[in-house]
């Protein structure tokens, strides 16, 4: 019940302040350029890193990037840049 209230409050605050939900609710922002580059903001940690799959942890779920020749090119505490041939992105609730 508390999570619903937090999401609802974040949604209302987002509308009032006219800012995107990811800035208010600490949700990931994913930007994909073609199928060769992907940026994920607001991730928490890297759970796995292989040339065919990169698994990231966010606050509420896992982000699974699948493809070929995947590389983490740049990384900060708040953002990660992945390059390679991106074939799919999946979200897993844990």
């Amino acid at each position: 019940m508390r999570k619903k209230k937090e999401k609802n409050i974040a949604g209302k605050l987002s509308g009032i302040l006219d800012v995107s939900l990811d800035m208010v609710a600490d949700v990931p922002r994913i930007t994909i350029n073609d199928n060769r580059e992907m940026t994920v903001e607001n991730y928490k940690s890297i759970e796995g890193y292989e040339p065919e799959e990169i698994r990231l942890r966010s606050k509420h779920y896992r982000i699974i990037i699948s493809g070929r020749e995947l590389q983490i090119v740049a990384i900060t505490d708040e953002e990660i840049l992945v390059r390679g041939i991106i074939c799919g992105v999946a979200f897993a609730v844990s």
Side-chain angles (χ1 to χ4, degrees):
M1 182 71 170
R2 183 178 175 145
K3 285 185 181 182
K4 277 190 174 182
K5 284 185 180 179
E6 287 176 3
K7 286 182 183 179
N8 198 12
I9 291 170
K12 287 179 182 178
L13 188 58
S14 171
I16 292 169
L17 298 176
D18 195 28
V19 296
S20 63
L21 185 61
D22 62 313
M23 295 178 82
V24 177
D26 195 28
V27 297
R29 170 177 271 189
I30 298 171
T31 307
I32 301 174
N33 297 321
D34 196 26
N35 70 330
R36 299 288 182 157
E37 186 176 84
M38 179 174 173
T39 304
V40 180
E41 299 174 60
N42 297 331
Y43 76 100
K44 298 296 179 194
S45 64
I46 299 171
E47 289 189 340
Y49 175 38
E50 299 172 19
E52 293 83 28
E53 184 177 270
I54 297 174
R55 293 179 310 281
L56 304 175
R57 162 69 61 198
S58 74
K59 187 173 182 178
H60 301 288
Y61 48 83
R62 227 179 270 121
I63 302 166
I64 303 156
I65 306 162
S66 59
R68 296 188 313 267
E69 302 172 18
L70 298 176
Q71 297 177 346
I72 296 174
V73 179
I75 186 169
T76 67
D77 289 342
E78 300 170 358
E79 182 177 283
I80 189 165
L81 173 62
V82 175
R83 285 195 184 133
I85 301 169
I86 299 167
C87 297
V89 179
F91 303 92
V93 179
S94 56

